[in-house]
Amino acid sequence: MNKLDERQPRRIPAAFLIAGASAWMATVGNAALWRELRSLGIAQAQGGWLLTVTLCGMLAAALYALLSLLAWKRVLKPAIALLLVATAVGAHFMWTYRIIIDSAMAANTLQTDWHEARALLTARLGAVVLVGAVLPSWLVWRLGVAHRPWKQQALRNLAGFAAGLAVVAGLILLSFQPLASTMRNHTQLRYLMNPLNQLWAVGQSAFGSRKIKGPLLPLGRDARLAAAAPGAKPRLLVLVLGETGRSGNFGLNGYERDTTPELARAQAVSFRNAWACGTSTAASVPCMFSHLGREGFLARKQDSETLLDVLQHSGLAVLWIDNQAGGCKGVCDRVPSVNTSGLKDPKLCPHGECLDEILVQGLDERLAQLPPDRRAKGVVLVMHQMGSHGPAYSQRTPPAFKKFMPECTSSHLPDCSSAQLLNAYDNTIAYTDHVLGATIAWLRTRSDYEGALLYVADHGESLGENNLYLHGLPYAIAPDVQKHVPWVTWLSAGFEQGSGVTMPCLRARADTRISHDNLFHSVLGLMHVDTSAYRRDLDVYAGCAAA
Ligand SMILES: [Zn+2]
C-alpha cells in the first residue's frame, strides 16, 4: 500500500449506506407498529415472530428499493436525511398519541397553522428527532460514498430498485396467508408502516386517484325567503361551529359533571344522538356545509357552493367570524368573513391566540356593518370556535373557568393522569358553555330580531381511552368518542312563535339519531329559505315547524 492510498478517505458503496439507513428506519422507526402487533396479540401468537420479522424485512426492502432510485451523488444524502427526519417525527406522534397516518391526517397536517401546531412541539419530540434523525444524518454526512459515472450508476440504481422489490415480493409470497389475513383484519397496521405511510399519504392527498375537478358547481341559485307574516321581525341565527366537542362530556347530555350550567339555565335543547361526518376539522367542516351528506360528499367528482352561498343567494346577510387561524377550509370563501385569532386584546388574547369570548365581542358593530337591505331580511352569523382544540386544552380556558382541578397542562398527554386530562378537557366544555351563554345573552338584547342559536361540533376527541389521544383516526375504525358530537339549539320566544318550532317539541325528539348530513337542510329550514336544494326529510326541525 502506498502513501497516496492511505490519504484517500475511505469510501463505501452507496448500497451499504442505503441498506443501513433502511434497516434503521424499518426497525427503530417502526416501534409503534411493533407495539401494535404485540398489543393485538399477533407478535406473541404462533408464527407471530416470523410474521413480525417478515414485515420488518419487507419494510426495509421497500425502503431500499426507493432509496436506490435516489442514489445519485448530490441527492442520496439529503434524501436519507429527509426520510430520517420524517421517520422520527412520525414515530414520535404514532407512539405518543397512538395516531395513525393516512391521507386525511396528511391533509390536516398540511392545513394546520403554526399556532395550533406549536403545542405539539414538545421537548420529547426534539429529543426523538435528535437521536433518531439528526445524529444518524450526521453520521451519513461524514461517510464518503463511492458513486460511479452516471451510466454505471443508473444501472446500479435500477438493479438496487429491482432487488428491493424482488425481496418484498418474495417475502409476500412466503408468508402470504398470515400476512393477508392480518392486514385485512387490522387495517390500521398499514397506516403505521413508517415512513412509507407518510409518503403514501402525502402522495394521495396531492395527486389522489380520484381528483376533484372542474369549476365550482352553483347551488341553490333559486333560493328565496318564504314570505314572512305581517309585522314579523327578521331572523337572526348564530351558528356556532364547535371544535373537538365530545357529546358525552356535555352536562346537558346527562354527563355526571355539570359542564353546561348556562345552557341548562337557558333551557337549550340538546340532540344527544348526533354524529360527525369526519374525525378531523379538514374532513368534517367542508362536509358539514355541503348539501350532499357524508356519502355524497365523499363520492363527489366536483365541488359545489356551500350552505353559506345558498343563504346569501336567498338575500340574507351572512358573516363568518373565525377564531381559528386555520380558517373555514374554503366553505366561507364567497361570503364576508373576519378572523379574530390574531387580535391583540390584552385580556382575551394572552398567548398569541384568542380565547373564544373574543367571538362575542363587538357583535353589534359587526352586524351594523352588514348590508342594510340584507340585514333587514335576516342574518346568519357563523362563529368558528377554538373550542376544545388539543392537546393544549388548558390554554383554551381562562382562570375563572377552571372548575375542574388539577388539570393537565402538558402537551405530552400521556404525562398526565387520566383524571387531570379529563379535568382540562371538561374545563374547555364549561368555557364553551359560557361562550354560548354569552351569545344567547347577546341575542336577547337584539329585540329587533327573532334570535336563535345552533351549536354543532365538527368532531369528537379521544382522551386516553384505549390509550388513544386526540382525533383523526380513519372513520371506519375511529372510536365513537371521536364521532359522537354535541348539537344544541336555543330559540328565543319570538323565534318559537314565528316559526312554530318550539323547544318542548324539539326536546321530545332529542334522542333521534341525526348527523352532519342534516345540518345544511336544518339551517335552511330554520331560516325559512325556499330552494330546490332543500330536503325537508333531512331538516331536523321540520317536524316541529308550522306547516
Ligand atoms: Zn376540529
Side-chain angles (χ1 to χ4, degrees):
M1 209 182 270
N2 62 36
K3 273 196 167 160
L4 209 103
D5 272 356
E6 268 173 58
R7 255 180 285 135
Q8 282 279 334
R10 193 179 296 164
R11 290 176 179 274
I12 58 163
F16 283 21
L17 182 61
I18 294 174
S22 303
W24 172 257
M25 290 185 275
T27 52
V28 184
N30 277 279
L33 176 62
W34 313 134
R35 180 182 64 182
E36 187 70 10
L37 284 176
R38 266 197 80 79
S39 68
L40 289 171
I42 294 167
Q44 308 91 304
Q46 207 191 350
W49 254 110
L50 193 62
L51 186 69
T52 308
V53 172
T54 306
L55 254 179
C56 188
M58 282 170 56
L59 278 170
L63 287 166
Y64 186 91
L66 181 76
L67 282 171
S68 292
L69 286 182
L70 302 172
W72 299 99
K73 196 168 180 183
R74 277 176 230 288
V75 179
L76 182 60
K77 286 180 176 180
I80 290 178
L82 200 69
L83 269 190
L84 284 170
V85 171
T87 305
V89 173
H92 167 78
F93 285 113
M94 288 189 285
W95 180 272
T96 306
Y97 302 108
R98 301 233 179 195
I99 59 152
I100 61 178
I101 297 173
D102 62 354
S103 57
M105 184 67 78
N108 243 346
T109 310
L110 296 175
Q111 290 178 24
T112 300
D113 73 288
W114 167 246
H115 273 303
E116 288 170 26
R118 207 175 39 179
L120 293 167
L121 306 179
T122 55
R124 192 177 298 222
L125 171 62
V128 170
V129 171
L130 184 70
V131 175
V134 176
L135 286 180
S137 297
W138 177 72
L139 282 175
V140 166
W141 224 262
R142 283 177 42 112
L143 282 174
V145 179
H147 289 281
R148 307 277 163 155
W150 79 267
K151 271 187 192 161
Q152 264 185 45
Q153 191 62 50
L155 279 175
R156 283 177 177 245
N157 292 1
L158 278 178
F161 177 69
L165 286 193
V167 173
V168 173
L171 289 172
I172 290 178
L173 285 177
L174 274 177
S175 57
F176 186 75
Q177 265 302 346
L179 195 67
S181 74
T182 303
M183 287 297 157
R184 217 176 15 246
N185 293 334
H186 309 286
T187 43
Q188 74 272 31
L189 292 177
R190 76 175 78 135
Y191 301 111
L192 286 171
M193 294 183 178
N194 201 20
L196 298 175
N197 54 354
Q198 301 183 52
L199 298 174
W200 179 255
V202 170
Q204 245 203 343
S205 52
F207 329 90
S209 50
R210 199 183 54 81
K211 269 269 192 205
I212 293 170
K213 285 190 284 235
L216 200 67
L217 291 172
L219 181 68
R221 294 292 173 95
D222 59 349
R224 295 286 173 275
L225 289 175
K233 296 173 192 167
R235 295 180 176 185
L236 168 55
L237 171 68
V238 178
L239 170 57
V240 180
L241 172 55
E243 177 59 62
T244 316
R246 278 165 61 114
S247 177
N249 290 56
F250 276 62
L252 280 183
N253 294 341
Y255 187 41
E256 67 263 24
R257 283 179 162 175
D258 186 13
T259 49
T260 53
E262 297 195 32
L263 286 172
R265 219 171 302 134
Q267 303 198 323
V269 181
S270 180
F271 283 102
R272 293 173 198 152
N273 197 1
W275 295 84
C277 178
T279 64
S280 66
T281 308
S284 273
V285 171
C287 180
M288 293 170 81
F289 287 84
S290 153
H291 65 300
L292 295 168
R294 178 165 196 274
E295 261 177 50
F297 185 76
L298 292 174
R300 77 199 185 285
K301 300 242 169 359
Q302 208 170 340
D303 273 321
S304 297
E305 290 183 335
T306 69
L307 170 62
L308 302 176
D309 295 295
V310 180
L311 292 168
Q312 193 157 262
H313 297 329
S314 76
L316 292 168
V318 181
L319 177 65
W320 182 286
I321 311 172
D322 212 311
N323 196 29
Q324 287 196 18
C328 72
K329 311 294 178 199
V331 302
C332 68
D333 286 355
R334 292 158 302 279
V335 303
S337 63
V338 289
N339 195 300
T340 57
S341 69
L343 295 181
K344 299 277 181 272
D345 187 292
K347 207 171 124 239
L348 293 175
C349 311
H351 318 289
E353 52 194 19
C354 298
L355 294 163
D356 278 335
E357 276 171 284
I358 196 88
L359 289 165
V360 197
Q361 273 198 353
L363 283 178
D364 288 321
E365 292 77 28
R366 296 203 192 286
L367 196 57
Q369 283 163 11
L370 296 174
D373 53 324
R374 287 181 172 270
R375 249 191 296 143
K377 293 178 184 153
V379 182
V380 177
L381 299 178
V382 186
M383 293 180 176
H384 190 197
Q385 275 193 299
M386 200 58 179
S388 309
H389 200 298
Y393 305 115
S394 64
Q395 287 178 23
R396 305 286 160 256
T397 49
F401 287 87
K402 301 203 181 284
K403 293 170 71 164
F404 308 106
M405 293 299 271
E407 67 169 1
C408 172
T409 54
S410 168
S411 286
H412 187 252
L413 300 180
D415 284 350
C416 295
S417 71
S418 52
Q420 288 176 333
L421 186 57
L422 195 62
N423 286 344
Y425 182 83
D426 284 344
N427 286 334
T428 66
I429 302 299
Y431 184 56
T432 287
D433 173 68
H434 173 66
V435 171
L436 297 178
T439 308
I440 291 172
W442 173 74
L443 282 168
R444 286 193 163 121
T445 67
R446 295 302 308 222
S447 53
D448 45 341
Y449 288 95
E450 289 172 354
L453 173 124
L454 169 56
Y455 161 79
V456 184
D458 59 349
H459 53 77
E461 185 87 324
S462 282
L463 292 174
E465 299 91 357
N466 301 315
N467 289 313
L468 291 170
Y469 295 92
L470 305 175
H471 55 264
L473 278 184
Y475 204 82
I477 62 169
D480 281 355
V481 285
Q482 294 191 18
K483 299 188 278 196
H484 191 188
V485 288
W487 179 307
V488 177
T489 314
W490 173 86
L491 307 172
S492 64
F495 197 102
E496 286 183 305
Q497 278 156 25
S499 63
V501 182
T502 63
M503 292 205 276
C505 176
L506 294 178
R507 198 163 287 120
R509 295 159 187 258
D511 289 318
T512 316
R513 188 183 170 101
I514 61 172
S515 74
H516 283 160
D517 289 11
N518 299 101
L519 185 68
F520 178 93
H521 308 279
S522 301
V523 169
L524 291 182
L526 277 179
M527 293 310 290
H528 259 195
V529 175
D530 275 339
T531 163
S532 53
Y534 168 74
R535 278 180 52 188
R536 194 173 193 276
D537 58 320
L538 290 174
D539 177 353
V540 300
Y541 303 107
C544 288

